Amino acid sequence: MANEGDKGRFDLSHHIILEQREQLVVSGVEEVESFDESAILLTTAQGGLEIQGEGLHIEKLSLDGGDLRVEGRVNALIYETERSHRGGLLGRLLGG
C-alpha cells in the first residue's frame, strides 16, 4: 500500500516486467527526464534508470500511478549507482 510522502507524493513500489524484450512495464516511475527511440531516462522510486534499445516508444505513462509501458527492442536496463543529486544520471550521460 502506498503512503503519502513529505512532498504530498505517494511512495511508490518499483517493479519491472520485460516480455520478449519487446514490451516493458515499469512501476514506481516518478519522472521521465528524456526519451527518444534509442534511450529513455527515468527517475524511479529506486533511483535513476536508463532504458536503452531500438525503436522505443512510450505506449502509456501515468505519473499519478507511477506506471510506464514501453514498446520496442530493449537492449539494456541500467540503474544509476549513486543517488547523489537530482538529475545525476542525466548529468553523467551529458558529461556533467
Side-chain angles (χ1 to χ4, degrees), residues 7 13 38 50-51 56 64-65 67 78 82-83 93:
K7 297 178 183 176
S13 63
S38 62
E50 178 181 2
I51 302 165
L56 300 175
D64 291 335
D67 298 319
I78 303 169
E82 299 175 5
R83 291 190 79 170
L93 290 174

Side-chain angles (χ1 to χ4, degrees), residues 66-78:
D67 298 319
L68 172 75
R69 183 172 41 208
V70 175
E71 291 192 358
R73 179 75 172 171
V74 175
N75 294 330
L77 299 169
I78 303 169

Side-chain angles (χ1 to χ4, degrees), residues 4 15 18 22 28-29 41 48 55 57-58 64 66-67 70 74-75 81 85:
E4 194 166 334
H15 302 281
L18 178 60
E22 299 290 331
V29 175
L41 300 177
H57 61 277
I58 295 173
D64 291 335
D67 298 319
V70 175
V74 175
N75 294 330
T81 56
H85 63 280

